[in-house]
Amino acid sequence: MKIVLNDPLFVSAQPIMQRLESHGYEAYFVGGCVRDTLLGQPIHDIDIATSARPEEIEAIFHLTIDIGKEHGTIIVVENRTHYEITTFRTEGNYSDFRHPDYVDFVRDLREDTLRRDFTINALAFDRKGQLYDYHQGISDLKLKAIRAVGVPYERFTEDALRIVRAIRFASQLGFEIEPNTYEAIQNLGVLLPKIAIERIRVELTKFFLGPYFEQYAQLLVNSKISRHIGLLKELPVKEALDFMVKTMNHCPIEDERLAWFLFTKGLGLDEPTLRLFLRQWTHSNQFIQEVTWLHQLYDILLERPLTNWDVYYYPIELIEMLETILKPQFQQIIGNARLLYQQLPVHNKKQIVTNGKDLLTLLGLTKGNAQVGQLLQQVEFAIVMNELANDRKAIEAFIHQQLIKER
Ligand code: ATP
Ligand code: MG
């Protein structure tokens, strides 16, 4: 089979493939870009596999970045684009169930495909679009089947992350996991505690964001995966997944923060537990903050309409994210968030005409203190809520009033 590779990502990689070939090496497009092209779906990145060894790749390209040379992966930078190039390899034993004890570079594409996880991921194109399919990947694409390359038990024992990858591809592609592969998954979840939580997080997030998540959500529980992930063991995962599906209401989740908000909301975590939980999942501080805001916003929306202060304080982007998913429930309440936002008298502190320094002068102080901070907050709140004009005179009067009140 031959396919025209007209996606700009393939086109732009042609010079790299040609350069490798002109030095006598083989080079192929592999992995997701091949699979997705054959499915008629857009591709988002490309992976290249080659017979050239890492040092040989370095020798023929001007700019390269070593991101795992011992495993055979080098980034080639051309026209400011990064191309990930991996040397054909086989993998040794996985005595720690995580990393192969050694990788052996090989000169042959077929051997390289033997180490890949699923048949649909073991397909390759050469630069002219000629397809190489050593494991009936095309047949499985047609069957919509996720099938391990070779013996499933061996493949999942080598690297248990593949277990989570299987359910993520089900959710991403809408494919069924082939029965033998599924049986191995159900029996080998016990190996998951050996896998770094960060790697599991990446796959789990892709599972949540899959266009077919709704259909495959309960795979996380039914495959027995969740009971072997320490961070989920004691939690009501089934209920959380049901909550996610119910709340997303047939529209796929398109944002990572929204996915983790829905999941943790469904798990029923309170705020301190939520923060700890997300931290244990190795999410960044920024991510944790934004998910926490989504929780707060959601609780507000259940209670009352949004105020000026809400749309000022919380990122409007997060409010609108909830809007897309919660529309039927909260339409009336959220509907005017953007309008409220546009009509705010100020959008940040800097736009307030009186700043901290002005306030110190006004109060005859040389140094700030808690009271000054509090007054500034009161001014900010009153202006945002349209209770006070953003005007020096008005603010001055407001401050005097506050001081009198406090006496
Ligand atoms: P995506 O569209 O999410 O990028 P992908 O199939 O390209 O999907 P990657 O994680 O980018 O997935 O991996 C690229 C390829 O490397 C896979 O298609 C697969 O052939 C191989 N691969 C990745 N991780 C593993 C693994 N843990 N075990 C075996 N092969 C793997
Ligand atoms: Mg990929």
Side-chain angles (χ1 to χ4, degrees):
M1 194 195 307
K2 204 165 171 184
I3 301 271
V4 181
L5 302 181
N6 50 13
D7 188 288
L9 285 171
F10 286 127
V11 175
S12 79
Q14 287 296 333
I16 300 210
M17 309 290 275
Q18 278 169 4
R19 177 101 55 98
L20 284 161
E21 286 181 8
S22 71
H23 283 79
Y25 305 111
E26 288 178 32
Y28 300 90
F29 296 114
V30 289
C33 65
V34 180
R35 181 194 65 224
D36 294 341
T37 298
L38 291 165
L39 288 171
Q41 288 177 6
I43 60 171
H44 50 84
D45 62 4
I46 55 169
D47 292 302
I48 297 171
T50 179
S51 58
R53 306 280 152 96
E55 304 72 38
E56 294 167 335
I57 301 172
E58 283 173 332
I60 59 177
F61 291 99
H62 296 300
L63 191 52
T64 58
I65 306 170
D66 175 0
I67 54 161
K69 213 161 141 187
E70 65 288 359
H71 297 111
T73 308
I74 294 270
I75 285 179
V76 169
V77 187
E78 288 267 320
N79 297 324
R80 297 192 182 172
T81 309
H82 286 201
Y83 297 92
E84 205 171 298
I85 306 191
T86 306
T87 305
F88 295 157
R89 58 176 216 227
T90 57
E91 294 172 357
N93 286 331
Y94 286 69
S95 35
D96 64 354
F97 302 98
R98 243 188 247 199
H99 307 291
D101 297 341
Y102 56 87
V103 304
D104 270 339
F105 297 138
V106 293
R107 290 288 185 187
D108 167 17
L109 171 67
R110 203 191 103 79
E111 274 192 79
D112 179 82
T113 61
L114 284 167
R115 71 162 175 98
R116 297 189 177 267
D117 48 6
F118 304 109
T119 59
I120 55 169
N121 288 346
L123 294 156
F125 284 134
D126 68 14
R127 79 183 162 81
K128 294 186 177 151
Q130 177 65 47
L131 180 77
Y132 294 80
D133 177 12
Y134 296 107
H135 306 283
Q136 271 127 46
I138 287 286
S139 150
D140 284 333
L141 277 182
K142 287 193 184 134
L143 289 170
K144 299 186 170 228
I146 298 163
R147 184 193 315 272
V149 170
V151 183
Y153 274 84
E154 288 172 13
R155 309 317 312 288
F156 294 130
T157 309
E158 279 165 9
D159 181 2
L161 184 71
R162 292 169 186 159
I163 292 173
V164 192
R165 285 174 62 84
I167 68 163
R168 99 84 150 160
F169 285 116
S171 164
Q172 264 186 343
L173 304 171
F175 284 20
E176 291 288 322
I177 303 176
E178 172 278 322
N180 288 323
T181 303
Y182 192 60
E183 187 199 300
I185 288 174
Q186 287 189 306
N187 287 312
L188 292 175
V190 287
L191 299 174
L192 283 169
K194 315 225 173 245
I195 301 296
I197 204 70
E198 196 167 353
R199 293 178 78 206
I200 298 183
R201 190 200 78 218
V202 171
E203 300 298 334
L204 192 60
T205 300
K206 290 184 178 178
F207 169 71
F208 290 150
L209 298 184
Y212 299 88
F213 172 72
E214 195 172 352
Q215 199 176 328
Y216 290 98
Q218 287 304 341
L219 256 188
L220 182 61
V221 174
N222 298 340
S223 63
K224 306 192 181 161
I225 291 177
S226 56
R227 71 174 72 168
H228 294 294
I229 296 177
L231 290 174
L232 298 181
K233 216 180 265 173
E234 310 286 323
L235 296 172
V237 177
K238 185 182 174 342
E239 288 73 11
L241 296 166
D242 282 339
F243 173 79
M244 290 175 89
V245 169
K246 194 178 90 206
T247 313
M248 60 194 269
N249 193 31
H250 310 304
C251 77
I253 308 170
E254 281 172 355
D255 187 280
E256 217 172 299
R257 297 162 294 183
L258 192 60
W260 281 86
F261 154 67
L262 288 171
F263 186 52
T264 49
K265 185 78 204 167
L267 289 172
L269 306 180
D270 62 20
E271 198 167 309
T273 320
L274 167 73
R275 286 178 173 275
L276 177 67
F277 180 77
L278 293 173
R279 189 168 314 270
Q280 289 170 324
W281 273 102
T282 70
H283 284 295
S284 71
N285 288 337
Q286 172 78 17
F287 188 91
I288 295 171
Q289 182 59 63
E290 291 181 344
V291 174
T292 307
W293 279 336
L294 283 170
H295 274 258
Q296 293 171 358
L297 270 167
Y298 183 88
D299 291 343
I300 291 174
L301 287 167
L302 287 180
E303 287 272 310
R304 58 169 174 78
L306 294 175
T307 64
N308 266 17
W309 182 257
D310 298 323
V311 298
Y312 174 85
Y313 179 81
Y314 294 104
I316 187 78
E317 181 211 8
L318 294 184
I319 299 177
E320 292 191 324
M321 203 185 283
L322 281 181
E323 174 184 31
T324 58
I325 207 147
L326 304 179
K327 218 165 191 161
Q329 251 173 302
F330 296 115
Q331 191 157 29
Q332 277 168 327
I333 308 178
I334 310 187
N336 59 6
R338 170 67 49 180
L339 192 67
L340 266 190
Y341 181 76
Q342 282 163 349
Q343 291 172 348
L344 283 177
V346 292
H347 290 89
N348 57 57
K349 262 194 206 143
K350 284 200 203 103
Q351 294 174 338
I352 296 177
V353 294
T354 304
N355 63 22
K357 228 161 123 198
D358 302 333
L359 190 59
L360 290 181
T361 317
L362 195 65
L363 298 173
L365 295 170
T366 48
K367 234 172 44 195
N369 58 28
Q371 189 197 20
V372 175
Q374 202 188 352
L375 275 171
L376 276 172
Q377 270 177 19
Q378 286 167 338
V379 168
E380 187 184 9
F381 184 80
I383 290 176
V384 169
M385 294 297 280
N386 278 328
E387 290 160 5
L388 170 63
N390 186 19
D391 160 288
R392 278 176 179 279
K393 281 239 159 66
I395 295 173
E396 238 173 77
F398 176 85
I399 285 168
H400 284 303
Q401 248 176 13
Q402 294 303 112
L403 291 174
I404 292 167
K405 257 198 236 162
E406 277 168 31
R407 266 200 216 127

